[in-house]
Amino acid sequence: MTAAKHQVTRTSGRRTSGRAGIRDVAAAAGVSITTVSDALNGKGRLPEATRRHVRTVADRLGYRPSAAARTLRTGKSGLIGLTVTTYGEEPFTFTEFAYFAEMARAATSAALARGYALVILPAASQHRDFDVWSNVALDGTVVIDPADNDPVVTELVRQGIPVVSDGRPGGNLPVTAWVDNDHEAAVTGLLDHLAAAGARRIGLLTGTSTDTYTRLSTTAYLNWCERAGQDPVYEAYPAHDPCASAVAADRLLARPDRPDAVYGLFDPNGTDLLAAARRYGLRVPDDLLVVCCSESSVYATTEPPITTLSLKPGRIGTTVIQLLIDAIESPGGRPQGQQVMPTELIVRASSHRPPHLTAHATVSAPRTPPPADQ
Protein backbone atom coordinates (compact mmCIF):
# COMPACT_ATOMS: atom_id res chain seq x y z
CA MET A 1 0.00 0.00 0.00
CA THR A 2 1.26 3.45 -0.80
CA ALA A 3 1.51 6.43 1.48
CA ALA A 4 -0.93 8.29 -0.79
CA LYS A 5 -3.74 6.01 0.34
CA HIS A 6 -3.20 7.13 3.93
CA GLN A 7 -2.75 10.80 3.17
CA VAL A 8 -5.01 13.08 5.22
CA THR A 9 -5.74 16.79 5.07
CA ARG A 10 -6.96 19.33 7.57
CA THR A 11 -10.06 21.45 7.04
CA SER A 12 -10.92 23.93 9.76
CA GLY A 13 -8.92 21.87 12.26
CA ARG A 14 -10.75 18.62 11.41
CA ARG A 15 -8.99 15.55 10.07
CA THR A 16 -10.76 14.21 6.98
CA SER A 17 -10.22 11.49 4.43
CA GLY A 18 -9.90 12.30 0.74
CA ARG A 19 -13.71 12.51 0.45
CA ALA A 20 -15.39 15.42 2.20
CA GLY A 21 -18.38 14.66 4.40
CA ILE A 22 -21.39 16.70 5.37
CA ARG A 23 -19.65 17.80 8.61
CA ASP A 24 -16.77 19.19 6.56
CA VAL A 25 -19.18 21.20 4.41
CA ALA A 26 -20.98 22.54 7.48
CA ALA A 27 -17.69 23.57 9.13
CA ALA A 28 -16.33 25.23 5.99
CA ALA A 29 -19.61 27.05 5.31
CA GLY A 30 -20.08 28.10 8.93
CA VAL A 31 -23.56 26.56 9.18
CA SER A 32 -25.20 23.58 10.86
CA ILE A 33 -25.38 20.08 9.39
CA THR A 34 -29.16 20.48 9.12
CA THR A 35 -28.71 23.65 7.07
CA VAL A 36 -26.33 21.84 4.72
CA SER A 37 -28.83 19.00 4.29
CA ASP A 38 -31.74 21.37 3.62
CA ALA A 39 -29.70 23.49 1.21
CA LEU A 40 -28.51 20.54 -0.86
CA ASN A 41 -31.88 18.77 -0.88
CA GLY A 42 -34.00 21.83 -1.64
CA LYS A 43 -35.84 21.64 1.68
CA GLY A 44 -36.47 23.97 4.58
CA ARG A 45 -37.04 27.73 4.54
CA LEU A 46 -33.54 28.95 3.86
CA PRO A 47 -32.61 32.22 2.18
CA GLU A 48 -31.55 31.64 -1.40
CA ALA A 49 -28.17 33.22 -0.63
CA THR A 50 -27.56 30.58 2.05
CA ARG A 51 -28.44 27.77 -0.34
CA ARG A 52 -26.05 29.13 -2.97
CA HIS A 53 -23.29 29.56 -0.40
CA VAL A 54 -23.65 25.98 0.88
CA ARG A 55 -23.73 24.55 -2.64
CA THR A 56 -20.65 26.53 -3.63
CA VAL A 57 -18.75 25.23 -0.60
CA ALA A 58 -19.92 21.66 -1.25
CA ASP A 59 -18.77 21.87 -4.88
CA ARG A 60 -15.41 23.32 -3.84
CA LEU A 61 -14.83 20.50 -1.36
CA GLY A 62 -16.02 17.83 -3.80
CA TYR A 63 -18.80 16.75 -1.46
CA ARG A 64 -21.09 14.00 -2.70
CA PRO A 65 -23.96 12.76 -0.54
CA SER A 66 -23.77 9.15 0.59
CA ALA A 67 -26.47 7.04 -1.04
CA ALA A 68 -26.52 4.66 1.91
CA ALA A 69 -26.85 7.52 4.40
CA ARG A 70 -29.69 9.05 2.39
CA THR A 71 -31.55 5.73 2.29
CA LEU A 72 -31.29 5.39 6.08
CA ARG A 73 -32.29 9.02 6.63
CA THR A 74 -35.15 9.32 4.14
CA GLY A 75 -36.23 5.77 3.36
CA LYS A 76 -35.58 6.46 -0.34
CA SER A 77 -33.20 4.58 -2.60
CA GLY A 78 -32.37 7.36 -5.05
CA LEU A 79 -33.31 5.06 -7.95
CA ILE A 80 -35.77 5.93 -10.74
CA GLY A 81 -37.07 3.40 -13.25
CA LEU A 82 -37.51 4.01 -16.99
CA THR A 83 -39.28 1.61 -19.31
CA VAL A 84 -41.67 1.05 -22.20
CA THR A 85 -44.63 -1.19 -21.43
CA THR A 86 -46.64 -1.04 -24.66
CA TYR A 87 -44.59 -3.81 -26.26
CA GLY A 88 -44.13 -5.82 -23.08
CA GLU A 89 -45.09 -9.14 -24.66
CA GLU A 90 -42.65 -8.74 -27.53
CA PRO A 91 -38.82 -8.86 -27.89
CA PHE A 92 -38.72 -5.09 -28.47
CA THR A 93 -35.43 -3.39 -27.66
CA PHE A 94 -36.70 0.17 -27.44
CA THR A 95 -33.33 1.80 -26.76
CA GLU A 96 -32.22 0.95 -30.30
CA PHE A 97 -34.45 3.74 -31.61
CA ALA A 98 -33.17 7.30 -31.72
CA TYR A 99 -36.16 8.77 -29.85
CA PHE A 100 -35.77 6.51 -26.83
CA ALA A 101 -31.98 6.77 -26.79
CA GLU A 102 -32.11 10.59 -26.71
CA MET A 103 -34.96 10.64 -24.20
CA ALA A 104 -33.08 8.25 -21.87
CA ARG A 105 -29.86 10.27 -22.18
CA ALA A 106 -31.61 13.50 -21.17
CA ALA A 107 -33.51 11.75 -18.38
CA THR A 108 -30.29 10.29 -16.98
CA SER A 109 -28.62 13.72 -16.89
CA ALA A 110 -31.65 15.33 -15.26
CA ALA A 111 -31.84 12.61 -12.62
CA LEU A 112 -28.13 12.83 -11.76
CA ALA A 113 -28.41 16.61 -11.41
CA ARG A 114 -30.88 16.05 -8.60
CA GLY A 115 -29.03 13.18 -6.93
CA TYR A 116 -30.88 10.23 -8.46
CA ALA A 117 -29.79 7.38 -10.72
CA LEU A 118 -31.82 6.04 -13.64
CA VAL A 119 -32.48 2.31 -13.99
CA ILE A 120 -33.48 1.11 -17.46
CA LEU A 121 -35.99 -1.71 -16.96
CA PRO A 122 -36.54 -4.29 -19.69
CA ALA A 123 -39.98 -4.13 -21.26
CA ALA A 124 -40.00 -7.77 -22.32
CA SER A 125 -40.20 -9.24 -18.80
CA GLN A 126 -42.65 -6.96 -17.08
CA HIS A 127 -46.01 -8.46 -17.98
CA ARG A 128 -44.72 -11.99 -17.60
CA ASP A 129 -43.02 -11.54 -14.27
CA PHE A 130 -43.56 -8.38 -12.27
CA ASP A 131 -41.25 -9.81 -9.57
CA VAL A 132 -38.32 -8.63 -11.70
CA TRP A 133 -39.18 -5.09 -10.64
CA SER A 134 -39.57 -6.00 -6.97
CA ASN A 135 -35.83 -6.71 -6.84
CA VAL A 136 -35.12 -3.01 -7.47
CA ALA A 137 -36.12 -0.50 -4.78
CA LEU A 138 -37.55 2.29 -6.94
CA ASP A 139 -38.60 5.69 -5.64
CA GLY A 140 -40.61 6.29 -8.83
CA THR A 141 -40.89 5.25 -12.47
CA VAL A 142 -41.16 6.87 -15.88
CA VAL A 143 -43.22 4.85 -18.35
CA ILE A 144 -42.99 5.65 -22.06
CA ASP A 145 -46.15 5.37 -24.19
CA PRO A 146 -48.24 3.21 -21.84
CA ALA A 147 -51.18 1.41 -23.41
CA ASP A 148 -54.74 2.03 -22.24
CA ASN A 149 -55.39 0.38 -18.86
CA ASP A 150 -51.73 -0.66 -18.64
CA PRO A 151 -51.50 -3.30 -15.86
CA VAL A 152 -47.90 -2.43 -15.01
CA VAL A 153 -48.76 1.21 -14.33
CA THR A 154 -51.81 0.16 -12.31
CA GLU A 155 -49.71 -2.17 -10.17
CA LEU A 156 -46.97 0.40 -9.58
CA VAL A 157 -49.52 2.96 -8.42
CA ARG A 158 -51.19 0.35 -6.20
CA GLN A 159 -47.83 -0.15 -4.49
CA GLY A 160 -47.59 3.59 -3.84
CA ILE A 161 -44.85 4.25 -6.42
CA PRO A 162 -45.22 7.56 -8.30
CA VAL A 163 -45.48 7.10 -12.07
CA VAL A 164 -44.96 9.82 -14.69
CA SER A 165 -45.90 9.01 -18.26
CA ASP A 166 -44.05 10.07 -21.42
CA GLY A 167 -47.26 10.16 -23.43
CA ARG A 168 -50.76 11.29 -22.53
CA PRO A 169 -52.41 8.31 -20.80
CA GLY A 170 -55.61 6.94 -22.21
CA GLY A 171 -58.64 5.71 -20.31
CA ASN A 172 -58.39 6.13 -16.55
CA LEU A 173 -54.73 5.24 -16.18
CA PRO A 174 -53.80 6.60 -12.71
CA VAL A 175 -50.45 8.26 -13.46
CA THR A 176 -49.12 11.00 -11.20
CA ALA A 177 -48.30 13.31 -14.13
CA TRP A 178 -47.66 13.17 -17.86
CA VAL A 179 -45.69 14.94 -20.58
CA ASP A 180 -46.58 14.73 -24.26
CA ASN A 181 -46.51 16.51 -27.61
CA ASP A 182 -49.49 18.09 -29.31
CA HIS A 183 -49.76 15.26 -31.82
CA GLU A 184 -52.93 16.60 -33.41
CA ALA A 185 -51.31 19.95 -34.23
CA ALA A 186 -48.07 18.29 -35.40
CA VAL A 187 -49.80 15.89 -37.80
CA THR A 188 -52.16 18.58 -39.10
CA GLY A 189 -49.20 20.89 -39.77
CA LEU A 190 -47.17 18.34 -41.71
CA LEU A 191 -50.19 17.22 -43.75
CA ASP A 192 -50.85 20.87 -44.65
CA HIS A 193 -47.17 21.10 -45.63
CA LEU A 194 -47.52 18.12 -47.97
CA ALA A 195 -50.72 19.50 -49.50
CA ALA A 196 -49.01 22.86 -50.10
CA ALA A 197 -46.21 20.98 -51.86
CA GLY A 198 -48.73 19.58 -54.34
CA ALA A 199 -49.84 16.30 -52.76
CA ARG A 200 -53.31 15.22 -53.93
CA ARG A 201 -53.68 11.95 -52.02
CA ILE A 202 -51.70 11.63 -48.76
CA GLY A 203 -51.22 8.21 -47.21
CA LEU A 204 -50.24 7.08 -43.71
CA LEU A 205 -48.11 4.31 -42.25
CA THR A 206 -49.37 3.72 -38.72
CA GLY A 207 -49.30 1.09 -35.98
CA THR A 208 -51.67 -1.44 -34.46
CA SER A 209 -50.89 -0.62 -30.81
CA THR A 210 -53.16 1.36 -28.46
CA ASP A 211 -50.58 3.82 -27.11
CA THR A 212 -51.52 7.49 -27.16
CA TYR A 213 -48.96 8.53 -29.78
CA THR A 214 -50.27 6.07 -32.36
CA ARG A 215 -53.93 6.67 -31.55
CA LEU A 216 -53.81 10.49 -31.54
CA SER A 217 -51.63 10.70 -34.65
CA THR A 218 -53.88 8.35 -36.61
CA THR A 219 -57.01 10.18 -35.48
CA ALA A 220 -55.48 13.51 -36.52
CA TYR A 221 -54.80 12.08 -39.99
CA LEU A 222 -58.36 10.78 -40.36
CA ASN A 223 -59.80 14.12 -39.23
CA TRP A 224 -57.58 15.99 -41.68
CA CYS A 225 -58.73 13.72 -44.53
CA GLU A 226 -62.36 14.40 -43.67
CA ARG A 227 -61.81 18.16 -43.69
CA ALA A 228 -59.82 17.99 -46.94
CA GLY A 229 -62.40 15.77 -48.66
CA GLN A 230 -59.87 12.98 -49.20
CA ASP A 231 -60.51 9.29 -48.65
CA PRO A 232 -58.02 7.92 -46.07
CA VAL A 233 -55.27 5.73 -47.49
CA TYR A 234 -53.31 3.94 -44.78
CA GLU A 235 -51.66 0.72 -43.72
CA ALA A 236 -51.24 -0.38 -40.09
CA TYR A 237 -48.60 -2.77 -38.82
CA PRO A 238 -47.15 -3.94 -35.45
CA ALA A 239 -44.38 -1.41 -34.80
CA HIS A 240 -42.37 -3.84 -32.66
CA ASP A 241 -41.81 -6.14 -35.69
CA PRO A 242 -38.52 -5.09 -37.37
CA CYS A 243 -39.64 -6.46 -40.76
CA ALA A 244 -43.24 -5.25 -40.77
CA SER A 245 -42.46 -1.64 -41.69
CA ALA A 246 -40.98 -2.60 -45.08
CA VAL A 247 -43.91 -4.91 -45.83
CA ALA A 248 -46.45 -2.20 -44.93
CA ALA A 249 -44.62 0.39 -47.07
CA ASP A 250 -44.71 -2.01 -49.98
CA ARG A 251 -48.45 -2.67 -49.48
CA LEU A 252 -49.20 1.05 -49.38
CA LEU A 253 -47.42 1.79 -52.66
CA ALA A 254 -48.97 -1.26 -54.35
CA ARG A 255 -52.55 -0.13 -53.67
CA PRO A 256 -54.77 0.84 -56.64
CA ASP A 257 -55.42 4.13 -54.81
CA ARG A 258 -51.70 4.69 -54.31
CA PRO A 259 -50.88 7.95 -52.49
CA ASP A 260 -48.56 10.57 -53.95
CA ALA A 261 -47.32 11.50 -50.45
CA VAL A 262 -46.86 9.44 -47.29
CA TYR A 263 -46.37 10.23 -43.62
CA GLY A 264 -44.79 7.44 -41.56
CA LEU A 265 -45.28 7.51 -37.78
CA PHE A 266 -42.21 5.45 -36.92
CA ASP A 267 -38.45 5.68 -37.28
CA PRO A 268 -37.84 3.03 -40.02
CA ASN A 269 -40.64 4.30 -42.28
CA GLY A 270 -38.50 6.81 -44.16
CA THR A 271 -35.87 4.39 -45.44
CA ASP A 272 -38.47 1.67 -46.04
CA LEU A 273 -40.57 4.04 -48.15
CA LEU A 274 -37.49 5.03 -50.17
CA ALA A 275 -36.74 1.35 -50.84
CA ALA A 276 -40.36 0.59 -51.77
CA ALA A 277 -40.48 3.62 -54.09
CA ARG A 278 -37.38 2.38 -55.93
CA ARG A 279 -38.97 -1.06 -56.34
CA TYR A 280 -42.04 0.48 -57.95
CA GLY A 281 -40.09 2.91 -60.13
CA LEU A 282 -41.30 5.97 -58.22
CA ARG A 283 -39.05 8.99 -57.81
CA VAL A 284 -38.87 10.88 -54.53
CA PRO A 285 -39.96 13.70 -54.48
CA ASP A 286 -41.16 13.90 -58.11
CA ASP A 287 -43.68 11.02 -57.88
CA LEU A 288 -43.85 10.55 -54.11
CA LEU A 289 -43.40 12.97 -51.20
CA VAL A 290 -42.14 11.41 -47.97
CA VAL A 291 -42.15 12.54 -44.32
CA CYS A 292 -41.50 10.39 -41.25
CA CYS A 293 -41.28 10.92 -37.51
CA SER A 294 -37.70 10.31 -36.41
CA GLU A 295 -34.84 11.74 -34.38
CA SER A 296 -32.21 9.90 -36.42
CA SER A 297 -29.54 11.98 -38.14
CA VAL A 298 -29.36 9.42 -40.96
CA TYR A 299 -32.27 11.12 -42.73
CA ALA A 300 -30.14 14.19 -43.41
CA THR A 301 -27.90 12.08 -45.68
CA THR A 302 -30.32 9.75 -47.50
CA GLU A 303 -30.90 10.24 -51.24
CA PRO A 304 -32.88 12.40 -51.20
CA PRO A 305 -32.72 13.72 -47.62
CA ILE A 306 -36.03 13.00 -45.85
CA THR A 307 -38.20 15.51 -44.03
CA THR A 308 -38.68 14.46 -40.41
CA LEU A 309 -40.93 15.41 -37.53
CA SER A 310 -38.95 15.78 -34.30
CA LEU A 311 -40.80 15.23 -31.00
CA LYS A 312 -37.91 16.81 -29.06
CA PRO A 313 -37.26 13.81 -26.76
CA GLY A 314 -34.48 15.62 -24.89
CA ARG A 315 -36.94 18.18 -23.55
CA ILE A 316 -39.42 15.46 -22.69
CA GLY A 317 -36.80 13.36 -20.87
CA THR A 318 -35.75 16.30 -18.72
CA THR A 319 -39.33 17.31 -17.93
CA VAL A 320 -40.63 13.87 -16.94
CA ILE A 321 -37.73 13.47 -14.49
CA GLN A 322 -38.36 16.87 -12.93
CA LEU A 323 -42.06 16.08 -12.47
CA LEU A 324 -41.29 12.65 -11.03
CA ILE A 325 -38.70 13.87 -8.53
CA ASP A 326 -41.01 16.69 -7.47
CA ALA A 327 -43.66 14.05 -6.77
CA ILE A 328 -41.20 11.83 -4.89
CA GLU A 329 -40.00 14.68 -2.70
CA SER A 330 -43.38 16.37 -2.23
CA PRO A 331 -44.34 16.21 1.46
CA GLY A 332 -47.83 14.96 2.20
CA GLY A 333 -48.89 14.25 -1.36
CA ARG A 334 -48.00 13.86 -5.00
CA PRO A 335 -48.90 16.89 -7.09
CA GLN A 336 -50.27 16.09 -10.52
CA GLY A 337 -49.13 17.87 -13.63
CA GLN A 338 -49.50 17.83 -17.39
CA GLN A 339 -47.13 19.48 -19.84
CA VAL A 340 -47.29 19.68 -23.63
CA MET A 341 -43.99 19.97 -25.50
CA PRO A 342 -43.57 21.56 -28.96
CA THR A 343 -42.53 19.59 -32.04
CA GLU A 344 -40.43 20.65 -35.04
CA LEU A 345 -40.85 19.78 -38.71
CA ILE A 346 -37.37 19.59 -40.24
CA VAL A 347 -38.06 20.16 -43.93
CA ARG A 348 -35.75 18.48 -46.45
CA ALA A 349 -35.85 17.59 -50.14
CA SER A 350 -38.23 14.60 -49.85
CA SER A 351 -41.26 16.85 -49.29
CA HIS A 352 -40.47 19.51 -51.92
CA ARG A 353 -41.88 18.69 -55.33
CA PRO A 354 -40.33 20.61 -58.25
CA PRO A 355 -42.54 23.60 -59.20
CA HIS A 356 -43.19 22.40 -62.77
CA LEU A 357 -44.68 19.18 -61.36
CA THR A 358 -46.65 20.75 -58.53
CA ALA A 359 -49.03 22.74 -60.71
CA HIS A 360 -50.17 19.70 -62.73
CA ALA A 361 -49.75 16.94 -60.17
CA THR A 362 -51.47 13.64 -60.92
CA VAL A 363 -51.28 10.29 -59.18
CA SER A 364 -50.15 7.60 -61.58
CA ALA A 365 -50.98 3.92 -61.24
CA PRO A 366 -48.35 1.82 -59.45
CA ARG A 367 -45.90 -0.09 -61.57
CA THR A 368 -45.25 -3.76 -61.05
CA PRO A 369 -41.90 -4.24 -59.35
CA PRO A 370 -39.32 -6.39 -61.13
CA PRO A 371 -38.67 -9.92 -59.85
CA ALA A 372 -36.34 -10.04 -56.86
CA ASP A 373 -33.58 -11.81 -58.83
CA GLN A 374 -33.29 -9.07 -61.46
Side-chain angles (χ1 to χ4, degrees):
M1 297 181 67
T2 66
K5 289 190 177 183
H6 297 284
Q7 183 177 358
V8 295
T9 60
R10 294 185 178 273
T11 303
S12 300
R14 186 187 305 276
R15 286 171 60 87
T16 68
S17 64
R19 175 173 174 169
I22 193 170
R23 295 180 183 275
D24 302 301
V25 176
V31 298
S32 68
I33 292 175
T34 300
T35 297
V36 172
S37 177
D38 288 348
L40 298 181
N41 292 310
K43 298 180 179 179
R45 297 182 177 181
L46 298 176
E48 186 57 34
T50 301
R51 293 187 192 277
R52 288 197 300 268
H53 172 62
V54 171
R55 289 169 181 165
T56 299
V57 172
D59 288 343
R60 176 165 55 81
L61 295 180
Y63 170 73
R64 295 292 181 271
S66 165
R70 178 172 62 177
T71 299
L72 291 173
R73 184 176 69 255
T74 66
K76 294 182 173 62
S77 66
L79 299 178
I80 291 174
L82 174 67
T83 192
V84 174
T85 62
T86 303
Y87 312 102
E89 298 292 346
E90 305 292 342
F92 179 74
T93 308
F94 60 92
T95 53
E96 292 178 359
F97 290 86
Y99 175 93
F100 301 117
E102 174 61 17
M103 187 271 184
R105 184 203 63 75
T108 299
S109 297
L112 288 173
R114 294 188 61 174
Y116 288 78
L118 204 67
V119 180
I120 305 295
L121 294 165
S125 64
Q126 294 174 41
H127 292 287
R128 289 193 285 268
D129 186 5
F130 194 80
D131 289 341
V132 171
W133 283 34
S134 66
N135 294 326
V136 182
L138 299 174
D139 293 333
T141 300
V142 172
V143 179
I144 302 174
D145 286 339
D148 294 352
N149 305 312
D150 191 305
V152 173
V153 173
T154 302
E155 176 61 20
L156 287 168
V157 173
R158 189 191 68 78
Q159 294 182 10
I161 299 175
V163 177
V164 173
S165 168
D166 170 5
R168 205 172 320 179
N172 297 314
L173 207 60
V175 299
T176 304
W178 57 261
V179 180
D180 204 356
N181 303 106
D182 188 342
H183 298 296
E184 298 94 332
V187 172
T188 299
L190 71 87
L191 294 175
D192 287 343
H193 165 76
L194 290 171
R200 298 295 181 266
R201 188 159 60 228
I202 303 175
L204 179 74
L205 282 177
T206 184
T208 56
S209 60
T210 64
D211 60 282
T212 303
Y213 167 70
T214 302
R215 185 178 68 251
L216 291 182
S217 298
T218 304
T219 300
Y221 167 77
L222 295 175
N223 291 340
W224 185 91
C225 287
E226 183 176 3
R227 291 193 302 271
Q230 177 202 301
D231 290 333
V233 185
Y234 65 92
E235 294 288 340
Y237 71 95
H240 60 265
D241 186 337
C243 299
S245 171
V247 174
D250 196 270
R251 285 201 311 265
L252 188 62
L253 297 190
R255 293 173 58 125
D257 57 346
R258 177 185 67 79
D260 65 341
V262 180
Y263 171 50
L265 293 187
F266 305 110
D267 197 281
N269 292 159
T271 51
D272 287 335
L273 283 165
L274 282 181
R278 285 193 294 269
R279 277 175 44 78
Y280 284 100
L282 300 173
R283 297 166 298 168
V284 178
D286 301 50
D287 305 312
L288 181 70
L289 301 176
V290 175
V291 177
C292 75
C293 185
S294 176
E295 310 302 328
S296 175
S297 60
V298 71
Y299 285 121
T301 58
T302 53
E303 184 54 46
I306 293 180
T307 295
T308 54
L309 176 68
S310 172
L311 303 180
K312 299 297 182 181
R315 293 180 185 177
I316 290 180
T318 299
T319 304
V320 293
I321 292 298
Q322 299 292 2
L323 285 173
L324 182 59
I325 295 176
D326 287 346
I328 292 169
E329 297 182 348
S330 176
R334 292 169 182 166
Q336 294 200 358
Q338 299 85 37
Q339 293 197 31
V340 178
M341 298 283 111
T343 61
E344 179 185 5
L345 186 65
I346 303 171
V347 178
R348 301 188 178 102
S350 70
S351 64
H352 274 299
R353 183 165 287 148
H356 70 281
L357 295 176
T358 300
H360 306 286
T362 59
V363 185
S364 60
R367 306 176 192 178
T368 303
D373 58 352
Q374 291 187 10

